[in-house]
Amino acid sequence: HVQLVESGGGSVHAGGSLRLSCAASGYTRGPYCMGWFRQRPGKEREGIAAIDRDGVSTYADSAKGRFTISKDTTNNTLLLEMNSLSPEDTDMYYCAADFVGRAVVRVGCSLHRRDFSTWGQGTQVTVS
């Protein structure tokens, strides 16, 4: 079965950087879209970046200019480079994948949680 395993979270000071990874396995045909979401207790899960099979990326306004999503297709790994972190970025970060095409939009991918059906367990990012 498909598995998504996040890593790379941790604690950093404001202005610092982190690199999140998501190792994907258990499939023969790659997902239409993969994305990064984040959530804190009592809040909705927010889509922050996604990338489609052609490498077209989509970003939430909160991520533009600071975060970069990419994928290492050789190792089936999704990456998120996060720079200029602030305390407002403190959240649990989740990797997600769409294997049915629901997240595909005219250009790039949706950032709506409902369009992604496969999820990792999350990795905590804390910025102080």
Side-chain angles (χ1 to χ4, degrees):
H1 66 285
V2 178
Q3 273 195 310
L4 303 177
V5 180
E6 302 96 335
S7 61
S11 297
V12 294
H13 292 302
S17 300
L18 279 175
R19 185 192 201 203
L20 305 184
S21 297
C22 172
S25 62
Y27 55 84
T28 54
R29 182 171 173 79
Y32 288 87
C33 291
M34 293 193 76
W36 287 99
F37 291 72
R38 64 186 185 184
Q39 186 176 22
R40 62 186 63 182
K43 302 277 280 186
E44 290 289 320
R45 191 166 294 188
E46 172 194 16
I48 54 175
I51 189 166
D52 69 9
R53 283 177 171 170
D54 295 327
V56 178
S57 54
T58 306
Y59 294 94
D61 288 344
S62 59
K64 287 178 182 175
R66 299 189 303 130
F67 295 0
T68 302
I69 189 171
S70 62
K71 53 183 181 178
D72 177 351
T73 54
T74 301
N75 296 306
N76 292 335
T77 301
L78 183 70
L79 303 169
L80 185 69
E81 298 277 356
M82 304 189 295
N83 299 309
S84 302
L85 288 163
S86 73
E88 289 69 35
D89 296 312
T90 295
D91 271 315
M92 184 71 80
Y93 284 70
Y94 297 90
C95 171
D98 163 39
F99 285 91
V100 298
R102 188 168 180 177
V104 175
V105 295
R106 192 171 65 85
V107 178
C109 300
S110 159
L111 292 176
H112 291 295
R113 175 183 183 175
R114 65 175 182 267
D115 296 328
F116 292 79
S117 57
T118 304
W119 294 86
Q121 293 301 305
T123 185
Q124 178 68 38
V125 171
T126 302
V127 186
S128 59

